[in-house]
Amino acid sequence: MNLDFTTEENAFREEVRAFIRENYPKELMNMGTREDLTREQFLAWHKILGKKDWSTVAWPKKYGGTGWTSTQRYIWSEENARVDALMPLPFGVSMVGPVIYTFGSEEQKERHLPGIRSGDVWWAQGYSEPGAGSDLASLKTTAVRDGDHYVINGQKTWTTLAQHADWGFFLCRTDPSAKQQEGISFILVDMKTPGIEVRPIKLIDGTHEVNETWLTDVRVPVENLVGKENEGWTYAKFLLAHERSGIAGVARSKRGIERLRDIASSESIDGEPLIANGDFARKISQLEIDLTALEFTELRTLASEAAGKGPGPESSILKIKGTEIQQRLTELTLEAVGNYGAPYARGMEGHGVNDLNVGPDYSNHAADTYFNMRKTSIYGGSNEIQRNIITKMILGL
């Protein structure tokens, strides 16, 4: 594998870096992975990229993608991670968008793809249910055909940021007599349809990131069915493979390790910089080694996609190792800031905690980021399920 960038690729990096420097909203600098932003803040960079036709970099050019090579997309992710850019949310760009342009009707492509590219339409994912998370095929939400409509009834949970959503994509059981995976359909739903109720699930830090979504006699036009009835499991697996690849977050973790080294150089233990502590330095080095190995795996996956192959079971490897590295990184960051990570709890002013941050700026969100990132080994299909996929699809056991 040739890891040297060409003259053209280095010129592309400079073009990307200049565009980000000149156009990224200053008020969003250093926001990181905050989940308590307004809808306008979440979409600000997406809309700027949409006007530049850079919001859907991995899409085929015929559907509004950039036509960039896998190396250019890699450079793009690195440069955005370098400034902690708040990237376009994955629900439209990385999840339902590829499903629509791969399996959807021409009418669905014309109706929905432009809004995803521009950032004007916010999508939510209706997969998990209270009794169907990792075992997603056991979902109970039903869609019953009634003339030119489906009537949907059921409950979805952990619908991330659905309080802002204009549209949702839902897995529903359309044939209860079929085997679990064979009776599911993939349906697009306007979130303003009567019968939909989004109820907030407040997190431990007071933020509102996820929701329960209740659907009661929700009437959806049959033309909102993607592909064929009862073949939604195929489309769901396709979507999850794209989602899992994106969850790896290699570029973000590389930037996180740089930040961690800076923190460890500023913090001290027994009068010496923390970075000079042999045990802590070893933890960082091991994390860097694991991340480098993951980066090579991601590059191989990108090369495979560039050759016309979609993400396969190797996306499960990216998901497992990527999320484990993210969790170790946030754990080490919290360890590095020490007591400064404890006193401030966002949203809890007046309840016995400080309403101003104590300590350096880099400690402000170390604790809430650490706790929030516990979710990464669960969402997108738990890591235990991903190991089962690897066992069957790669090892053939």
Side-chain angles (χ1 to χ4, degrees):
M1 182 184 296
N2 185 358
L3 298 180
D4 294 326
F5 292 107
T6 66
T7 300
E8 292 77 13
E9 288 164 349
N10 284 323
F12 174 75
R13 184 185 293 277
E14 291 305 315
E15 178 189 0
V16 167
R17 186 171 295 182
F19 179 79
I20 293 174
R21 181 175 60 250
E22 295 167 8
N23 294 277
Y24 189 74
K26 298 299 185 289
E27 66 272 17
L28 296 182
M29 293 296 291
N30 300 313
M31 282 290 188
T33 57
R34 294 273 298 278
E35 302 289 359
D36 60 343
L37 306 178
T38 65
R39 176 186 167 108
E40 291 70 27
Q41 288 173 315
F42 271 118
L43 294 176
W45 184 225
H46 187 158
K47 290 188 174 184
I48 292 171
L49 295 177
K51 293 177 182 177
K52 178 74 171 174
D53 292 329
W54 280 10
S55 62
T56 51
V57 299
W59 288 19
K61 198 166 185 178
K62 66 181 293 186
Y63 296 122
T66 57
W68 290 348
T69 65
S70 56
T71 302
Q72 287 175 309
R73 299 203 307 270
Y74 178 76
I75 291 171
W76 170 249
S77 66
E78 279 201 321
E79 290 303 310
N80 278 277
R82 192 174 63 85
V83 298
D84 288 325
L86 189 68
M87 297 305 292
L89 293 164
F91 313 111
V93 170
S94 304
M95 297 183 188
V96 74
V99 170
I100 291 174
Y101 67 63
T102 304
F103 303 104
S105 66
E106 291 305 314
E107 291 77 14
Q108 288 170 345
K109 295 173 189 177
E110 292 175 6
R111 180 176 185 181
H112 295 296
L113 296 184
I116 295 174
R117 292 195 303 267
S118 67
D120 290 328
V121 180
W122 185 306
W123 286 82
Q125 180 184 26
Y127 271 30
S128 294
E129 298 181 5
S134 296
D135 183 20
L136 183 58
S138 65
L139 63 89
K140 306 297 184 191
T141 296
T142 60
V144 178
R145 183 74 178 262
D146 180 24
D148 294 333
H149 288 78
Y150 286 107
V151 179
I152 302 177
N153 283 279
Q155 177 191 2
K156 298 293 182 177
T157 193
W158 313 123
T159 39
T160 304
L161 300 173
Q163 68 268 29
H164 300 305
D166 303 298
W167 279 78
F169 50 99
F170 289 80
L171 290 182
C172 305
R173 190 162 301 284
T174 42
D175 186 354
S177 64
K179 292 181 180 179
Q180 282 189 336
Q181 290 89 342
E182 296 176 0
I184 295 172
S185 294
F186 192 106
I187 302 175
L188 310 178
V189 180
D190 185 337
M191 294 295 285
K192 297 184 293 295
T193 307
I196 296 178
E197 181 184 4
V198 177
R199 301 178 186 175
I201 299 175
K202 287 297 183 72
L203 303 184
I204 193 172
D205 64 354
T207 58
H208 175 194
E209 177 188 1
V210 291
N211 303 270
E212 292 179 320
T213 301
W214 294 80
L215 303 103
T216 305
D217 295 331
V218 176
R219 297 184 65 85
V220 177
V222 169
E223 58 261 29
N224 288 10
L225 172 73
V226 174
K228 297 180 180 179
E229 189 174 272
N230 298 325
E231 294 189 11
W233 189 248
T234 298
Y235 317 140
K237 290 190 296 181
F238 174 88
L239 181 150
L240 287 170
H242 280 268
E243 179 185 3
R244 289 163 186 159
S245 298
I247 289 173
V250 171
R252 298 279 167 172
S253 291
K254 288 175 68 176
R255 177 69 184 97
I257 289 178
E258 293 176 5
R259 188 183 301 108
L260 175 60
R261 283 193 171 277
D262 290 341
I263 293 172
S265 298
S266 300
E267 295 296 316
S268 62
I269 181 171
D270 297 330
E272 296 289 337
L274 180 59
I275 194 67
N277 179 273
D279 183 57
F280 196 83
R282 177 187 56 78
K283 293 178 183 177
I284 296 179
S285 296
Q286 186 60 59
L287 190 62
E288 286 184 304
I289 292 169
D290 292 346
L291 182 58
T292 299
L294 181 66
E295 184 177 17
F296 289 153
T297 301
E298 182 179 57
L299 289 171
R300 287 195 295 269
T301 301
L302 289 173
S304 178
E305 289 187 37
K309 301 177 183 178
E314 67 271 16
S315 64
S316 294
I317 299 175
L318 292 172
K319 199 274 181 181
I320 292 171
K321 296 305 297 183
T323 55
E324 289 178 348
I325 287 170
Q326 291 164 29
Q327 290 178 342
R328 286 162 57 194
L329 175 59
T330 57
E331 182 176 354
L332 284 178
T333 302
L334 184 59
E335 181 179 342
V337 303
N339 292 337
Y340 289 137
Y344 175 67
R346 185 172 64 243
M348 294 292 289
E349 294 85 350
H351 294 274
V353 297
N354 294 329
D355 59 358
L356 295 175
N357 298 329
V358 176
D361 289 343
Y362 56 68
S363 69
N364 290 355
H365 299 289
D368 51 1
T369 301
Y370 164 78
F371 285 116
N372 191 278
M373 294 300 281
R374 299 302 94 191
K375 69 188 178 187
T376 62
S377 54
I378 299 173
Y379 67 38
S382 72
N383 286 5
E384 290 78 8
I385 294 296
Q386 303 317 306
R387 291 185 174 90
N388 287 344
I389 292 173
I390 293 170
T391 299
K392 295 177 181 178
M393 303 298 294
I394 298 179
L395 302 179
L397 301 178

